[in-house]
Amino acid sequence: AAPPAAFGRREAPRRDPASFRLFASGSGDPGESADDDGPRDYLAELSWLPPLDPTKEIEEIDPEASPQTMVLPLFPLGSTAYLPHSDHILNIFEPRYRQMYSDILFNGSRRFAVPVSNPETGRLATVAPVFYLEDLKEVSEQTDDAVKYVCSHKVIGRVRINRTLNDKVWGDRTTYLKAVVEPLEDGDDDEDLSTRERTLTDRFASIIENQTKLQEPVRFTENLKATLSAARGEDGLWRMAGLWQSLTQNRLAAKESELSDEIQKLLRQYLESQGQDMRSKVTVQFDSLPAEIRAEFTRLQQQYREESAAMVSATIYPFVLLVQCDTHAERLSVFGEMLEEEKKRLQAKVALQSLFSGGMGGADAKGLDEPPTEA
């Protein structure tokens, strides 16, 4: 059956095109927070490798002599979180990664690990998703060799990186990094977590209902509720996490659109005051604008940077932590807290609306729908 249609009038990049709409206007229950000191610092909970050491001797691993040692190429892709069972297309242009793709095709592995990097130190995460190359198109002729390959991948699992083998090449870019890794599997596959899974699914469904009630600018659609599951596997919690990641990415895109609209409005008002029309092709140099207009541009950009900083982090580090979790139970708790933060945000929004409306009409904070509680 086809997935439920769920996106509306204006779309932004997302992982799942049938998830939500962009409207132009612990060990207990998953996600119960132990304190109210503010949002959880997911970045601080991530585990990182030691800094790459360009002076370290290159270590060679003989696959015949060490058949139990797994070595994978590393393809760090900055600050992007990739979840198991997701699909991704990469354009390959750097010489070192052109070589990597040639190598994984030649040896038949078709696999490489994609660790996120710490935004402050550049250190690589110790746990990384594994990409499997499903399709490769040679496009150098069409792109005048600016791009060599367009590659389609599926994330097929996770690995823990034990050590890097050739740190020196990260600096001189002569080739790609390699590392000794071990597959990472959940350690609680035999544990029955169905009650906690139902609780988390109900909480997700309740948030969808409350987003609709509050007419959130970016929100899931109601028909998504019937498809939710927090169980293990591709169609369970990993899918829910992917949906949530798409929500955070679309919120960020909406914020970027908001900034663009504000700048367009400011420029349009200025041009109209000068007797010009933006619909005609007008070139305006920033330095030629009046000081007060430049100051307003700068204020808008600074406001965007401040408001979007937390939004950018929300699209990355909670999901990297989900990848790092070594049990399904731990992952349920982390994702539950992500939902709890959204619930609190919605409650704060209701309280603010009630304050400005004098407490008359509309939903109040207590009026938000609550999921049923498991006995």
Side-chain angles (χ1 to χ4, degrees):
F7 239 96
R9 285 182 280 165
R10 188 158 60 105
E11 298 189 5
R14 59 199 180 278
R15 179 176 180 264
D16 188 333
S19 310
F20 52 93
R21 295 194 180 190
L22 173 57
F23 293 82
S25 162
S27 63
D29 285 344
E32 290 296 337
S33 180
D35 58 70
D36 294 311
D37 293 337
R40 182 171 179 173
D41 188 353
Y42 295 96
L43 176 61
E45 298 182 48
L46 298 178
S47 177
W48 307 97
L49 293 172
L52 295 174
D53 180 4
T55 66
K56 187 175 72 172
E57 290 291 326
I58 293 177
E59 182 181 354
E60 299 287 349
I61 301 291
D62 184 349
E64 294 186 2
S66 305
Q68 302 303 317
T69 302
M70 179 183 292
V71 176
L72 282 182
L74 298 187
F75 192 170
L77 286 173
S79 297
T80 304
Y82 297 102
L83 302 179
H85 311 294
S86 57
D87 301 294
H88 304 281
I89 295 176
L90 301 178
N91 296 327
I92 308 304
F93 52 88
E94 281 195 64
R96 55 180 168 172
Y97 295 119
R98 295 184 185 199
Q99 181 61 49
M100 185 192 80
Y101 276 87
S102 296
D103 290 347
I104 64 174
L105 283 172
F106 180 77
N107 64 31
S109 75
R110 290 178 169 258
R111 292 168 171 82
F112 56 92
V114 184
V116 73
S117 59
N118 187 297
E120 299 171 357
T121 66
R123 293 164 62 184
L124 302 180
T126 58
V127 175
V130 177
F131 275 40
Y132 180 81
L133 175 63
E134 293 189 320
D135 185 57
L136 178 146
K137 291 183 173 64
E138 164 75 61
V139 295
S140 54
E141 187 172 327
Q142 299 94 307
T143 64
D144 197 24
D145 206 37
V147 175
K148 175 70 171 177
Y149 303 125
V150 175
C151 303
S152 301
H153 314 81
K154 189 173 189 69
V155 180
I156 60 170
R158 303 170 297 143
V159 291
R160 187 180 306 280
I161 302 172
N162 292 333
R163 66 183 186 277
T164 50
L165 300 176
N166 55 343
D167 295 16
K168 179 181 179 181
V169 305
W170 182 244
D172 62 28
R173 297 174 178 259
T174 52
T175 187
Y176 54 90
L177 281 172
K178 297 179 183 179
V180 174
V181 304
E182 57 181 316
L184 182 61
E185 303 289 345
D186 285 349
D188 60 350
D189 283 344
D190 296 332
E191 187 174 349
D192 181 6
L193 298 170
S194 56
T195 299
R196 295 183 62 189
E197 291 167 353
R198 284 193 300 271
T199 299
L200 194 66
T201 301
D202 290 341
R203 185 168 296 167
F204 199 126
S206 175
I207 284 175
I208 293 176
E209 293 168 2
N210 291 328
Q211 287 177 344
T212 302
K213 179 183 291 187
L214 290 172
Q215 294 293 290
E216 281 284 288
V218 181
R219 63 182 184 268
F220 294 109
T221 52
E222 290 274 343
N223 58 358
L224 186 66
K225 293 188 296 181
T227 72
L228 297 176
S229 168
R232 297 175 174 87
E234 180 172 359
D235 296 324
L237 183 59
W238 284 121
R239 174 176 176 268
M240 283 175 55
L243 293 171
W244 200 261
Q245 186 181 41
S246 297
L247 178 72
T248 63
Q249 291 169 342
N250 276 272
R251 281 180 174 165
L252 181 61
K255 176 61 68 174
E256 292 171 350
S257 295
E258 184 180 307
L259 172 66
S260 177
D261 291 344
E262 289 289 337
I263 289 176
Q264 291 291 321
K265 178 182 177 182
L266 182 63
L267 187 57
R268 181 169 58 251
Q269 291 173 341
Y270 168 71
L271 290 175
E272 288 174 353
S273 72
Q274 302 298 306
Q276 298 181 355
D277 192 333
M278 278 191 68
R279 287 174 295 184
S280 58
K281 294 183 178 180
V282 179
T283 301
V284 180
Q285 297 295 328
F286 180 78
D287 291 342
S288 67
L289 293 171
E292 63 271 18
I293 300 295
R294 297 199 306 271
E296 182 62 11
F297 266 98
T298 301
R299 186 194 69 79
L300 287 171
Q301 291 173 328
Q302 179 62 28
Q303 178 180 316
Y304 168 77
R305 282 193 291 269
E306 293 173 356
E307 294 179 354
S308 66
M311 298 177 72
V312 171
S313 293
T315 69
I316 305 167
Y317 304 114
F319 303 98
V320 179
L321 185 58
L322 290 177
V323 172
Q324 180 179 290
C325 292
D326 55 13
T327 65
H328 183 58
E330 182 184 359
R331 199 170 296 114
L332 288 170
S333 294
V334 172
F335 190 68
E337 186 153 343
M338 293 161 66
L339 297 184
E340 186 70 12
E341 290 173 1
E342 174 70 359
K343 173 187 168 184
K344 291 178 180 178
R345 188 189 70 82
L346 294 175
Q347 288 177 331
K349 183 174 182 179
V350 169
L352 192 61
Q353 288 178 350
S354 179
L355 178 66
F356 279 102
S357 63
M360 302 296 293
D364 62 286
K366 294 182 180 179
L368 288 179
D369 295 328
E370 293 287 346
T373 303
E374 293 286 345

